[in-house]
Amino acid sequence: MSATAPPTPPETAAPPAATGQAAGALRVLSVIPPMTQLNTPYPSTAYLTGFLRARGVDAVQEDLALKLVLRLLSPAGLDDIRARAEALPRKQRTPLVQGFIEHFGRYRYTVGPTIAFLQGRDPTIAHRIASRAFLPEGPRFDSVDAYVDPDDPEGGDPLAWAFGALGLADRARHLATLYLNELADILRDAVDARFEFVRYAESLSMSQPTFEPLAAALAAPPTLVDAYLKDLTLEALSHHSPQVVLVSTPFPGSVYGAFRIAQAIKAAHPEIVTVLGGGFVNTELRELAEPRVFDHFDYVTLDDGERPLLALLEHLQGRRGRSRLVRTFVRDADTGAVRYIHLAEPDVPFAEVGTPTWDGLPLDGYLSVLDMLNPMHRLWSDGRWNKLTVAHGCYWKKCTFCDVSLDYIGRYDGAAASLLVDRIEAIIAETGQTGFHFVDEAAPPKALRALAEELLRRGVAISWWGNIRFEKSFSPELCQLLADSGCIAVSGGLEVASDRLLQLMKKGVSVEQVARVTQAFTEAGVLVHAYLMYGFPTQTVHDTVDALEYVRQLFEAGCIQSGFFHRFACTVHSPVGMNPEEFGVTLVPLPEITFAKNDVGFIDPTGVDHDRLGRALNKALYNYMHGIGLDTDVRTWFEDKVPRPRVAKHFIARALRA
């Protein structure tokens, strides 16, 4: 049954799994399922726990994603991995797995110190890691020897170009990260073919029209990873004794783990109420009609969790009937059909959601990894950042490639700068750490100005970074103010560097404007990362060549220091997906949907092979970030013959002088 026109279900006096709890308080456990990030906790449970505690709810939290990784990557974990590897017939062992078995002693000897180093608990081991004589090195390390200093191609130290003569800790962190990634490869080859540190089993859920692939995986014999996750789940239940467990699934790569957690809970403690929510649910399960989901979860909630959770907790305590739930899917006990219940109630204002808390999360256990040499991507993975939101939603909410129809973008709601700095000070007092990542879709310039002024007025010293729009409000004066308040980096969408396509995207910026804003940030000492896109509807080969020329000039002028090209994906919640005819494309018909719905294919009459072009774009960009090829004709990066760029050779330089 579609969520678009749900019937009103009958009242239920005794909600499922709530027997004995109607008159008493409920303990709520929020968990982070595998996999999210290794370097910092995903903030959803911190927000929910802080909010619930502020409302008098007994709320606790666990990061089962981190605990799973730390248990796997331990001497005892490696023992279990070796046992699984040795149980494989020799013909089924990959060369990597065979090498792991043959050199197991060295892997076991090094895993503990390496994890401790990445956690910041044993910095002196960096000398041994950086020596290249400590860690076992497999295929992942081939990339290290591929680094070539363009000024010294015959140089003997490939990492010197990437990290400098004094970058001992960075060298070691990069090598230790390669080692972790290699252990993940071994896990994938020997234990669980779906294993990834981030995109774990995401193919089972991402835009999957039916529940069948996920159901089959959940019914299969558990892998070592599954067994570990079950043990960790039961340990968390034993420690906290919750009556309600909230499982937050931000990405497709956390869905399989979420269902395995719920499966373990229902098998051992069927009386515990399980609730599924998070970014994946909000984006992909809006038309959920699959009853089997409710074999694992009693409730599935949409959009911001605060109001639905308050309604649900009141329901579980017998203080409101089921028909008065908010944005919640349930399975009807009589018919077995999925029903969507939504009593329209105002969402909790952003100013009243409270301060997130990291109490209960092992802040000293996260791993600072250094995977890619992209400076902005390093901020994502290296260091533990307190994640905070300046405002709810996007103040612009017009970009045609974005899911602007969804609540997390479309409903904009801000808070006073004084309140934001109160939250910042409370978080610093709790965590002892002053690094903040503002996770807004696009932080509003007015709010950032007020925040910066309040930070400086109070003398609160922090380091912060976040996402913005490269709009003209970011004057040189404002950029300097933000830098003075602690801003170290900004990222923003240049997308397809073409004024025609920027207008079609309704970005509200031009290439010239982006150049001036990024220069202002750079001159203030702020790292600038550009989100770039290719494959947007009606984008031609010539458009792509022109876009790369703009990007080359921006790097050449020193306006941006980092960037990444993303392939455009059409989603059903974006203006392109909702009104494809306005963009000259035809959507590929979707099958009947009972589970996940998000990405949708489209037919572009230009017929451009964007994947082939994408390889050239990312190769060029990687070199530009290292100062290579900035004086080379952009056409040389492409495999095929492409037209000469139509962009004036000094377009950006002239824009900066204007």
Side-chain angles (χ1 to χ4, degrees), residues 19 61 67 129 195 208 236 242 248 262 291 323 397 459 474 530 558 562 573 582 604 631 649:
T19 303
Q61 59 186 327
K67 287 192 171 184
I129 294 174
F195 187 83
Q208 278 285 359
S248 178
S323 65
K397 54 189 175 188
F474 288 105
S562 176
H573 310 296
E582 295 180 11
D604 189 332
D631 56 355
K649 192 170 184 179

Side-chain angles (χ1 to χ4, degrees), residues 195-234:
F195 187 83
E196 297 272 0
F197 281 139
V198 177
R199 300 179 181 276
Y200 178 40
E202 70 173 9
S203 63
L204 298 176
S205 56
M206 186 170 62
S207 296
Q208 278 285 359
T210 77
F211 192 62
E212 292 301 331
L214 190 54
L218 294 170
T223 67
L224 175 65
V225 179
D226 298 331
Y228 273 19
L229 184 56
K230 177 182 178 180
D231 290 344
L232 290 167
T233 300
L234 297 181

Side-chain angles (χ1 to χ4, degrees), residues 107-131:
Y107 279 100
R108 196 182 196 281
Y109 167 67
T110 54
V111 69
T114 303
I115 292 295
F117 167 69
L118 291 174
Q119 291 173 325
R121 295 187 291 109
D122 189 6
T124 58
I125 199 69
H127 294 272
R128 295 196 68 187
I129 294 174
S131 72

Side-chain angles (χ1 to χ4, degrees), residues 421-433:
V421 179
D422 287 345
R423 291 175 179 174
I424 287 171
E425 289 188 309
I427 291 168
I428 293 172
E430 179 182 84
T431 67
Q433 296 174 318

Side-chain angles (χ1 to χ4, degrees), residues 469-587:
R469 292 181 61 250
F470 292 131
E471 63 165 80
K472 60 184 179 181
S473 299
F474 288 105
S475 63
E477 177 268 333
L478 177 55
C479 293
Q480 186 60 57
L481 174 68
L482 299 182
D484 292 342
S485 76
C487 180
I488 60 171
V490 294
S491 57
L494 175 54
E495 318 307 350
V496 176
S498 157
D499 285 339
R500 177 185 76 83
L501 291 171
L502 287 172
Q503 290 177 3
L504 190 60
M505 292 177 173
K506 296 185 180 179
K507 282 292 296 183
V509 300
S510 66
V511 176
E512 288 187 357
Q513 180 178 308
V514 169
R516 288 189 282 269
V517 171
T518 53
Q519 183 192 48
F521 273 110
T522 296
E523 290 184 345
V526 176
L527 172 73
V528 180
H529 174 88
Y531 288 115
L532 302 161
M533 183 185 294
Y534 64 99
F536 193 75
T538 73
Q539 182 178 0
T540 65
V541 172
H542 217 156
D543 289 331
T544 302
V545 175
D546 289 347
L548 186 58
E549 174 61 18
Y550 281 127
V551 171
R552 183 195 68 79
Q553 292 187 28
L554 287 167
F555 273 100
E556 184 180 44
C559 294
I560 59 177
Q561 298 78 47
S562 176
F564 191 80
F565 272 104
H566 303 259
R567 172 68 187 271
F568 168 76
C570 183
T571 68
V572 295
H573 310 296
S574 69
V576 175
M578 296 170 72
N579 304 291
E581 65 282 353
E582 295 180 11
F583 301 88
V585 298
T586 303
L587 299 185

Side-chain angles (χ1 to χ4, degrees), residues 118 205 219 272 280 344 367 515 560 591 594:
L118 291 174
S205 56
I272 293 178
F280 169 81
L367 309 174
I560 59 177
T594 57

